[in-house]
Amino acid sequence: MTTSDHIESDVVIVGSGMGGATTAYALAKKGVNVLVLERGERIPKEDQNWSPKAVFVEKRYKPDEIWLDKDNNEYGPGLHYVVGGNTKVYGASLPRFKEADFGVIQHEEGVSPAWPFTYKDLEPYYYQAEVLYKVHGTKGDDPMGPVREKEFPYPAMPHEPYVADLAERLKKAGVRPYANAMGVDLATDGKCIRCKTCDGFVCKVDAKSDAEINALNPAIATGKVKLMTGAKVEKVVLTPDGKSVDHLLVETKDGVVKVFGKKFVLSAGGVNSAVILLKSGVANSSDMVGRNFMMHNNAHIAAFDIRRKNDITFQKTMSFADWYYDGGKGYPFGVVQLIGKVQGIMAKSWATKVPLPLLNFVMNRSVEFVVMAEDLPSKDNRVTVDAQGRIKVTRNSIGMKTHAKFMKKTEAVLRKAGYQAIFVQPFDISMNSHQCGTTVAGNDPRTSVVDQYCKTHDVNNLWLIDAGFMPSSAAMNPALTIAAQALRIVEESDLATFA
Ligand SMILES: Cc1cc2nc3c(=O)[nH]c(=O)nc-3n(C[C@H](O)[C@H](O)[C@H](O)COP(=O)(O)OP(=O)(O)OC[C@H]3O[C@@H](n4cnc5c(N)ncnc54)[C@H](O)[C@@H]3O)c2cc1C
């Protein structure tokens, strides 16, 4: 690899988030030379990492980029173009999908399609990903599964008194709470200090398991992986026969450079990998690139109890998923998961008209959850790029009738558990952090973009390893599944082999 205008490597990876960094890590372990191209920079260690005002109100780590919704309204996407990608600010909730998520599931409002591989195929790699991302949990705790061969690599994070008490109240209200699978460095010599600023924030002490700290940096330390920041990939250019990638066109501060490689991996995130392919006219013989956009049907709930102060530090330690397979009428609902403690100033970023003292009063007496349900794929929910290069995401979410019932049932349980008021913040299109499905995996090249190992059907040296491959969104946080699939691809496909 050189640093002149002719740059090349054995494998060139675009994006350093969950998919890209985990792939780089696994390739480095196999001795493969890798160049990671990342449009963003490393986030500096600074006081603003932990400032609710800087992160939530001033949106310090979000790009200025504007996307369009289905009606051409402008919005800022919930994404982060930095080394480590969205994992730098994610909540580190790292559950596995459940066995049934890999098969066909009949929902009230449609069908969740099968994946081209099974839970059993991914199970060993789930464990490897849990080791890499230091996942804490308790085997068998979640009554809805999934079956796992081994114990979690680390024991579950203990609940603080408020959540321990909440768990008891929820049990009495009729549900079975379990410990969240969390990726944090809590081991005896661990760096986690259990602060209030984890979910949604950048970890200033490198204790949150993210793609930069847990995968990319160790990969670079092997000497096999190089990182080029400020490198935005604009186009994939094919060889004259159209069968292979020849090079990438990359915008840098020194102008556009060509990057050559033997094999290429796009891991730019669900939407951005699709955008690069659409702009290049590549890997799209199925016309599926950009289609099947999903992001979960989500809402935040703040459950308020005027009698009970919530003085918690680390709130995100518990979920319940009793209605994951059946919400009562034979159709799946999803998971209810605690989120990081919402502070008054954070709520101000969306409850803009409510005075801060009132928000503080409420938030000091509330506990917050995300109510997460699967949204179903549709060809009409899609990413497109207009003539000016603007990104448009057309989405009519499927499953909202079910989500409304799920919300009602959740609210009833929370009231039974002692809460007098429930405040709801539904997710809009800008809260697209769980985006997936845009370069779907499948066995049939007519209906999918990549095969079960995320290799494109159309181009023989191009892989797409990020959230885009998911044929369905399940109702679980996506990041561990992306990481496990990256490890599986490097082990089982020909990405790491060179003649
Ligand atoms: C606030 C928040 C909380 C979340 N909480 C959780 C959670 O608790 N659990 C969970 O499982 N998931 C969570 N997620 C989602 C999770 O972060 C994503 O699912 C995951 O990071 C997706 O991985 P990826 O590889 O597809 O993309 P990303 O991790 O987003 O990585 C994409 C990378 O590609 C780079 N890139 C994009 N375009 C280009 C280009 N043209 N050229 C070069 N580089 C490019 C980006 O800068 C980025 O670094 C959360 C996300 C957010 C925003």
Side-chain angles (χ1 to χ4, degrees), residues 178-199:
Y178 62 89
N180 270 347
M182 293 298 299
V184 286
D185 192 5
L186 247 198
T188 40
D189 58 347
K191 290 177 278 194
C192 180
I193 55 166
R194 273 192 95 111
C195 67
K196 266 188 196 329
T197 45
C198 187
D199 192 1

Side-chain angles (χ1 to χ4, degrees), residues 462-477:
L462 178 61
W463 279 254
L464 311 176
I465 309 179
D466 56 28
F469 82 83
M470 292 187 184
S472 63
S473 65
M476 282 284 159
N477 320 60

Side-chain angles (χ1 to χ4, degrees), residues 13-21 37-41 56 62 78-95 182 199-201 208 211 231-234 250 267-270 272-273 275-276 279 316 337 372 432-435 465-468 470 476-482:
I13 298 178
V14 180
S16 64
M18 201 52 153
L37 301 173
E38 167 56 53
R39 71 191 284 176
E41 299 293 338
F56 284 87
K62 281 197 174 168
L79 295 181
H80 301 78
Y81 297 148
V82 295
V83 174
N86 284 295
T87 68
K88 287 311 288 181
V89 298
Y90 79 161
S93 177
L94 293 175
M182 293 298 299
D199 192 1
F201 293 85
K208 178 161 71 177
K232 184 181 175 209
V233 173
E234 289 291 345
V250 187
S267 300
N272 276 297
S273 285
V275 165
I276 295 168
K279 286 202 293 197
K316 196 174 183 167
Q337 190 174 81
M372 191 189 304
N432 51 12
S433 56
H434 287 186
Q435 59 184 247
I465 309 179
D466 56 28
M470 292 187 184
M476 282 284 159
N477 320 60
L480 188 78
T481 300
I482 300 166

